[in-house]
Amino acid sequence: MAHTDHRTMRRVLRREIAGTIGLLTDEHDFRAMRRYRTFTFDDHAVYLRQVEDLLKTRALQGTHTTVALFDPQDYAEYCSVRGIDPDIPANRTRFTAELATTGPTVPYEGQPLTDLLPALVDEAVRQATWEYAATLLARLGTCATCGEDIGRAAFTRASNLVARILDTAPPGDRHLVCSVTGTPETLVAVLHADEEDTGAPRIDEAEALEFTTVLALGLATRTPGGLVMRTTAPDTSDQVYGWRLRGDGLEPLTAGEVFDAYCTDAESGDLISPESNVDYCFPPDLGPEGTAPGHSH
């Protein structure tokens, strides 16, 4: 009887333990891990099926699992810095545990792996975009004229603009996209602000941080870019409008400019048929809060 009670308690305790699985999302990363003797998988498709079966089993047992993006190059550097052997499974476990707090992760909630994989890759891109933009902002340093931190001032300016854009948006779910032309490639950030029953927007803090950082970088460097808002509400047409980044502020796009942007293929330049039930509009007036000058030196 006591032995049974101990086993029952252990099962209960296992449900209380959260876990993280480091996932090799593509064939290239999978092949890189095969150089380690203790990594015994030899087929990526079979590996993914085994991971999915494990996730399902843990979910049925009531155990929460987070899936992290496992990067073999980052892992090799992690082991090199610490002077530990990368061919020891316990060290892979240590690395994965750190990914749970520092790397891109998504929770497993019963979704198929075909849905989880792109979500995990998107999360990795989002985090990399934020880190890159934040690094560039920090490198701007202080203004030689007034001593103000240029990156911090631009972030404050961007935060005020985002708040004002959300405040002036029509009721409904909001979808914001900010793009900033850069080297070597354009940075793109997305912000979702779905409307709660109370009418207040529900915003993911990490997503908002990335979006604001990318916008701040465009403002601070006066780099060409744009910002587009799409609102969706029941029983009404979607509304689409936007701004171009101009200097350290936003300049409204006309309805025609927004229509042209949405109905032109970005790569080929060919025309695309406009969507039904979509109104291309001039943006709301952001008022004094939206037009206040930023750092002007």
Side-chain angles (χ1 to χ4, degrees):
M1 183 69 174
H3 181 65
T4 302
D5 288 343
H6 284 313
R7 286 193 303 178
T8 300
M9 285 188 288
R10 281 197 295 269
R11 283 199 298 270
V12 171
L13 284 172
R14 277 198 294 269
R15 290 200 297 268
E16 302 294 324
I17 300 173
T20 302
I21 293 177
L23 184 62
L24 298 161
T25 58
D26 61 48
E27 187 74 38
H28 178 269
D29 286 347
F30 182 82
R31 287 198 304 269
M33 288 302 293
R34 289 196 61 200
R35 69 178 181 266
Y36 300 123
R37 178 186 54 81
T38 56
F39 185 80
T40 56
F41 292 97
D42 57 11
D43 184 281
H44 189 232
V46 172
Y47 161 81
L48 291 177
R49 285 197 297 271
Q50 291 294 325
V51 169
E52 186 162 28
D53 288 345
L54 176 59
L55 290 171
K56 289 178 180 177
T57 300
R58 288 175 59 84
L60 288 172
Q61 294 171 345
T63 304
H64 174 78
T65 309
T66 297
V67 182
L69 185 68
F70 194 104
D71 185 306
Q73 183 176 344
D74 288 348
Y75 173 62
E77 292 175 0
Y78 170 89
C79 292
S80 176
V81 168
R82 288 161 180 76
I84 58 178
D85 185 353
D87 206 1
I88 295 178
N91 291 335
R92 291 199 289 273
T93 302
R94 287 173 56 187
F95 176 70
T96 301
E98 290 199 18
L99 286 179
T101 56
T102 62
T105 62
V106 294
Y108 177 70
E109 298 172 330
Q111 68 271 48
L113 210 59
T114 51
D115 293 338
L116 189 148
L117 285 176
L120 183 57
V121 172
D122 287 347
E123 176 65 17
V125 171
R126 184 198 62 76
Q127 182 168 318
T129 298
W130 170 72
E131 290 175 351
Y132 179 67
T135 298
L136 293 182
L137 268 182
R139 287 178 180 171
L140 294 176
T142 57
C143 175
T145 302
C146 68
E148 184 175 25
D149 186 301
I150 298 173
R152 186 176 295 119
F155 189 88
T156 300
R157 168 83 170 132
S159 299
N160 292 336
L161 285 171
V162 171
R164 191 61 187 152
I165 288 168
L166 293 175
D167 287 344
T168 58
D173 295 340
R174 297 100 186 229
H175 180 84
L176 272 164
V177 179
C178 178
S179 60
V180 174
T181 303
T183 303
E185 60 187 22
T186 297
L187 296 180
V188 178
V190 177
L191 177 62
H192 299 89
D194 294 339
E195 192 171 61
E196 302 271 17
D197 293 336
T198 60
R202 182 176 67 253
I203 299 174
D204 180 89
E205 291 185 6
E207 198 175 70
L209 176 61
E210 179 215 346
F211 187 91
T212 306
T213 303
V214 170
L215 176 58
L217 180 63
L219 297 174
T221 57
R222 299 173 181 257
T223 303
L227 194 156
V228 174
M229 164 74 88
R230 180 168 185 155
T231 61
T232 303
D235 304 320
T236 185
S237 298
D238 286 8
Q239 294 189 36
V240 179
Y241 52 84
W243 299 261
R244 65 171 54 87
L245 272 63
R246 180 60 58 88
D248 59 359
L250 299 177
E251 179 180 274
L253 296 172
T254 66
E257 288 173 322
V258 176
F259 178 88
D260 289 343
Y262 258 75
C263 300
T264 303
D265 186 274
E267 294 183 0
S268 67
D270 296 336
L271 294 178
I272 304 172
S273 298
E275 296 181 63
S276 58
N277 297 319
V278 175
D279 293 334
Y280 302 95
C281 317
F282 191 81
D285 182 8
L286 298 181
E289 293 178 59
T291 57
H295 188 270
S296 57
H297 298 299

